[in-house]
């Protein structure tokens, strides 16, 4: 039957209206063609080796039916060489016993020593770091400049500072150091040299003001769920200045940090404007994010709004979780990747070099695969050593019964791997990146380092209420690499805050040493540079906190080296 003119016009109009969408699909298909070719040519393979590591730690969130809001946000993870033997150990943060819980068991954090060959030994008891508080954030830093890494825990309740004794053991020095931070709800934490005086200060995020007496259980479609920050007052974070004698002073107000309150979750400290001092990025959950700009003396001004970091491209505030920084486009500037809540894209903020950031998530593909699930720990990592940084994202919902009232939600989810295509774009290769990307749990903190010292970066993930996931990087060799550790003399011993620039032929890479980063975690103090096919580094330039610059020339690739402040030579490992 021939359609009437009116129906023909209606059909034609519908087709016209659909043309932009059809064109978009066609263009997207054309775009996917070369991306698929790239994926086949440059595969990243991450293999799940958890069962062979000997790690028996199982996380608990302290839940027992009350649905306290601090349960589902625990916890971070730390990758650190606590015993200075040249390999990276793993510290798992655990939840604890919360008010009203009748359990007599006291879950504890756990430290696993790396024995090599993908074997780890539980040394928690002998090391003395089995804190039983309700853990959230963790950072490692040599706050007393004695040559070994100390551990700071940001708990719900009093925080803990463990001083490394240098013999494989730690001592709880919280009270004498003055950093317990009261009875607050913690989150992320970082060490940084805020005032460039040569020792590490401490930034401590405080999530919200929680009161057990004011806690109520809310429901959705008749099912209980965890409430978020809008149900509680926000609060200011805490800044502790290192006095240089083993003690700290609370300088929250005089430093400027006390001028703004938020619901801080994860954070990273970074000199984003290349002015020689360390600034602070804080991910605020359901609120504008903070960028604390350092004036060089340890005084800070909050400029999140004017910098473009407070909100996304559309001016929306997200349930921000954890930021990491890295130079994804190799332009010499540190960019920020920020994870977020379900039905919100994780966001890539490109550093424009003028003190501001641009949300380039959609134009780069950096949000691919992140919309459905809550995203947590993340990292800029060159997994295939091709000279550009990929992005790994830990995922999993915080509502353990989300499927009962949201047919698109899921508590357990696969993690996400975005490969950098080398032209400022990313492609989601999660489904084709090995057995490690097929693990489906509810992940939280994630850490990245070369756990077997073979020249590529591996992954450790803390999963809520479950065993962790340990991923070995089995990617086909894509290129050469260089690992760099720093030893400060006038500055803090591990060079926290220092910028390292590596030049190899036409490739120029930068990175910075961090102590605490991403979602309540710590990793990557040994910097890793993928070099592609370049076998030699022409020049390494180090800009130390405090203004000193060292230059090392003609360095061979494929090795781990340590550079000491004020020296023109390297120590090979």
């Amino acid at each position: 039957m021939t359609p009437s003119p009116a129906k023909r016009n209606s059909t034609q109009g519908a087709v016209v209206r659909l043309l932009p969408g059809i064109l978009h699909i066609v263009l997207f298909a054309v775009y996917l063609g070369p991306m698929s070719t790239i994926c086949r040519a440059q595969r990243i393979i991450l293999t799940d080796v958890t069962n062979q590591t000997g790690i028996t730690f199982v996380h608990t969130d302290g839940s027992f039916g009350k649905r306290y809001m601090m349960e589902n946000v625990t916890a971070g993870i730390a990758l650190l060489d606590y015993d200075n033997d040249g390999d990276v150990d793993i510290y798992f943060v655990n939840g604890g016993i919360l008010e009203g819980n009748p359990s007599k068991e006291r879950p504890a954090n756990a430290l696993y020593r790396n024995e090599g060959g993908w074997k780890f030994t539980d040394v928690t008891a002998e090391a003395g770091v089995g804190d039983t508080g309700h853990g959230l954030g963790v950072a490692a830093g040599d706050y007393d400049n004695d040559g070994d890494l100390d551990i700071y825990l940001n708990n719900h309740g009093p925080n803990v500072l463990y001083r490394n004794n240098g013999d494989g053991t730690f001592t709880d020095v919280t009270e004498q150091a003055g950093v317990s931070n009261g009875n607050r709800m913690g989150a992320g934490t970082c060490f940084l040299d805020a005032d460039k005086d040569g020792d590490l200060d401490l930034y401590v995020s405080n999530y919200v003001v929680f009161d057990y007496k004011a806690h109520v259980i809310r429901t959705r479609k008749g099912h209980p769920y965890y409430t978020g920050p809008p149900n509680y007052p926000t609060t200011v974070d805490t800044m502790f200045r290192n006095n240089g004698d083993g003690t700290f002073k609370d300088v929250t107000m005089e430093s400027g940090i006390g001028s703004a309150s938020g619901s801080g979750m994860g954070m990273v400290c970074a000199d984003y404007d290349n002015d020689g001092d360390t600034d602070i990025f804080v991910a605020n959950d359901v609120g504008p994010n903070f960028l604390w700009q350092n004036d060089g003396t340890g005084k800070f001004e909050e400029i999140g709004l004017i910098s473009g970091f407070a909100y996304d491209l559309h001016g929306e505030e997200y349930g921000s979780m954890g930021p990491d920084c890295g130079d994804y486009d190799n332009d010499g500037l540190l960019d920020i990747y920020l994870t977020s809540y379900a039905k919100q894209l994780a966001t890539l903020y490109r550093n424009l070099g003028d003190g501001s950031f641009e949300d380039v998530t959609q134009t780069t593909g950096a949000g691919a695969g992140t919309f459905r699930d809550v995203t947590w720990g993340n990292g800029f990592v060159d997994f295939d050593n091709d000279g550009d940084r990929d992005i790994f994202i830990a995922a999993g919902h915080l509502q353990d019964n989300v499927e009962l009232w949201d047919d698109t939600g899921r508590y357990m989810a696969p993690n996400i791997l975005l490969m950098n295509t080398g032209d400022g774009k990313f492609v989601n290769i999660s489904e084709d990146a090995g057995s490690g990307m097929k693990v489906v749990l509810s992940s939280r903190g994630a850490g990245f380092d070369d756990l077997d010292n073979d020249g590529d970066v591996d992954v450790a993930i803390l999963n809520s209420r479950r065993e962790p996931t340990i991923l070995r990087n089995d990617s086909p060799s894509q290129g050469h690499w260089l690992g760099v550790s720093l030893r400060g003399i006038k500055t803090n011993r591990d060079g926290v805050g220092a910028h390292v620039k590596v030049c190899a032929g036409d490739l120029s890479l930068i990175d910075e040493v961090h102590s605490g980063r991403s979602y309540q975690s710590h990793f990557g103090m040994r910097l890793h540079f993928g070099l592609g096919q370049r076998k030699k580094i022409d020049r390494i330039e180090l800009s130390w906190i405090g203004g000193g610059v060292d230059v090392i020339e003609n360095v061979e690739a494929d090795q781990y080296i340590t550079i000491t402040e004020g020296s023109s030579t390297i120590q090979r490992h």
Side-chain angles (χ1 to χ4, degrees):
M1 181 174 66
T2 304
S4 66
K7 190 169 184 178
R8 280 201 306 272
N9 291 338
S10 175
T11 302
Q12 291 167 354
V15 171
V16 170
R17 288 192 298 273
L18 286 172
L19 278 176
I22 295 170
L23 180 60
H24 177 78
I25 293 171
V26 170
L27 290 174
F28 186 65
V30 172
Y31 176 74
L32 280 182
M35 290 303 99
S36 299
T37 301
I38 290 171
C39 290
R40 286 193 295 270
Q42 293 180 291
R43 293 184 65 200
I44 298 171
I45 301 297
L46 300 176
T47 303
D48 180 6
V49 295
T50 310
N51 290 338
Q52 72 183 60
T53 62
I55 295 173
T56 59
F57 171 81
V58 177
H59 174 264
T60 177
D61 61 6
S63 58
F64 64 109
K66 292 291 188 180
R67 295 192 175 269
Y68 295 134
M69 68 177 304
M70 71 288 292
E71 295 172 9
N72 56 19
V73 292
T74 169
I77 187 173
L79 303 189
L80 71 159
D81 182 5
Y82 84 96
D83 52 0
N84 286 332
D85 66 350
D87 50 33
V88 176
D89 313 295
I90 307 177
Y91 187 72
F92 297 101
V93 180
N94 215 347
I97 298 297
L98 301 172
E99 184 174 297
N101 191 333
S103 174
K104 292 191 180 203
E105 270 188 52
R106 298 194 65 81
N109 299 346
L111 175 63
Y112 280 82
R113 185 178 63 215
N114 190 337
E115 308 290 4
W118 289 101
K119 300 298 182 184
F120 292 80
T121 300
D122 186 344
V123 294
T124 309
E126 64 190 74
V129 290
D131 183 53
T132 57
H134 187 83
L136 292 143
V138 59
D142 188 358
Y143 82 93
D144 51 2
N145 282 332
D146 67 347
D148 44 45
L149 288 173
D150 313 294
I151 299 173
Y152 186 76
L153 302 172
N154 195 4
N155 293 333
H156 170 66
N159 296 343
V160 175
L161 175 61
Y162 286 118
R163 185 186 65 213
N164 194 325
N165 299 321
D167 59 0
T169 69
F170 291 77
T171 300
D172 182 343
V173 295
T174 310
E175 293 307 317
Q176 66 192 70
V179 291
S180 68
N181 202 37
N183 190 23
R184 304 184 185 182
M185 184 185 298
T189 186
C190 290
F191 284 104
L192 72 156
D193 186 356
D195 49 7
K196 300 188 291 187
D197 66 348
D199 50 35
L200 292 177
D201 310 299
L202 182 61
Y203 188 104
V204 182
S205 178
N206 301 310
Y207 189 31
V208 295
V209 179
F210 179 83
D211 184 350
Y212 281 107
K213 295 178 182 177
H215 170 69
V216 294
I217 298 179
R218 304 184 186 277
T219 61
R220 288 182 181 170
K221 296 184 178 179
H223 303 286
Y225 73 96
Y226 287 98
T227 58
N231 294 277
Y232 302 91
T234 59
T235 185
V236 299
D237 294 338
T238 306
M239 174 68 80
F240 291 106
R241 185 180 65 211
N242 193 328
N243 295 322
D245 60 0
T247 68
F248 291 78
K249 178 185 177 183
D250 187 335
V251 294
T252 302
M253 299 311 296
E254 63 187 81
S255 67
I257 297 301
S259 64
S261 66
S263 46
M265 287 290 268
M267 66 185 63
V268 66
C269 300
D271 182 9
Y272 81 98
D273 49 4
N274 289 336
D275 64 351
D277 53 46
T278 304
D279 313 294
I280 306 170
F281 294 83
V282 181
N284 283 318
D285 188 6
V286 194
N289 302 308
F290 290 159
L291 170 50
W292 293 105
Q293 186 180 50
N294 194 337
D295 71 355
T297 69
K299 301 291 178 62
F300 293 85
E301 178 185 3
E302 204 292 292
I303 61 165
L305 180 61
I306 62 175
S307 70
F309 178 66
Y311 303 102
D312 77 340
L313 175 68
H314 306 291
E316 298 287 340
E317 62 185 33
Y318 279 179
S320 301
M321 298 298 182
D324 193 32
C325 69
D327 183 11
Y328 83 93
D329 52 359
N330 290 346
D331 65 351
L333 301 167
L334 292 173
D335 311 295
I336 299 291
Y337 193 77
L338 183 64
T339 51
S340 193
Y341 198 67
K343 298 182 174 60
Q344 299 171 349
L345 291 176
T347 307
L348 175 60
Y349 293 94
R350 180 173 180 264
N351 191 332
L352 299 180
D354 59 1
S356 67
F357 291 85
E358 177 187 8
D359 178 349
V360 295
T361 308
Q362 297 186 24
T363 57
T364 61
T370 67
F371 184 77
R372 178 176 179 179
D373 302 301
V374 183
T375 51
W376 305 83
N378 65 99
F380 281 107
V381 181
D382 186 355
F383 286 106
D384 48 5
N385 286 335
D386 64 348
D388 51 47
R389 295 184 180 274
D390 315 296
I391 302 175
F392 186 100
I393 305 136
H397 214 285
L398 55 79
Q399 304 288 355
D400 57 1
N401 61 350
V402 63
E403 294 93 342
L404 299 177
W405 39 267
D406 181 353
D407 58 9
T408 66
R410 53 186 178 179
Y411 178 61
M412 296 185 180
N415 297 317
I416 302 162
L417 178 58
L418 305 179
M419 189 185 72
N420 193 325
T421 62
D423 57 356
K425 300 289 194 302
F426 294 87
V427 59
N428 185 354
I429 63 167
S430 306
E431 294 184 359
D432 192 37
S435 63
M437 300 308 299
K438 299 186 186 308
V439 176
V440 179
L441 293 169
S442 192
S443 300
R444 296 295 184 267
F448 310 89
D449 213 315
D450 185 359
L451 295 175
D452 54 358
N453 286 334
D454 67 346
D456 53 34
V457 178
D458 310 296
V459 186
I461 304 158
L462 185 139
N463 299 308
S464 182
R465 304 180 181 177
R466 291 290 296 271
E467 71 281 359
T469 305
I470 311 298
L471 305 182
R472 185 181 63 212
N473 191 338
D474 288 332
S475 305
S477 178
Q478 297 296 326
H480 299 281
W481 57 275
L482 181 72
V484 179
S485 298
L486 303 186
R487 289 293 175 264
I489 302 297
K490 296 179 180 178
T491 63
N492 69 85
R493 187 178 183 278
D494 291 304
V496 173
H499 273 207
V500 178
K501 183 177 182 179
V502 171
C503 300
D506 60 337
L507 182 66
S508 180
L509 304 171
I510 68 157
D511 205 354
E512 180 178 313
V513 182
H514 305 286
S515 175
R517 63 199 298 181
S518 185
Y519 185 73
Q520 304 181 354
S521 294
H522 172 93
F523 57 87
M525 294 188 80
R526 179 174 62 176
L527 305 181
H528 183 91
F529 298 91
L531 301 172
Q533 300 309 306
R534 303 158 188 88
K535 299 179 181 179
K536 184 178 180 181
I537 296 89
D538 302 311
R539 175 184 175 94
I540 304 174
E541 183 175 309
L542 296 92
S543 300
W544 303 85
I545 287 292
V549 176
D550 289 323
V551 175
I552 310 292
E553 296 182 330
N554 299 320
V555 177
E556 294 299 319
D558 303 325
Q559 62 175 330
Y560 283 108
I561 64 173
T562 297
I563 303 176
T564 300
E565 184 179 9
S567 173
S568 59
T569 60
I570 61 174
Q571 177 185 352
R572 295 175 174 84
H573 301 288

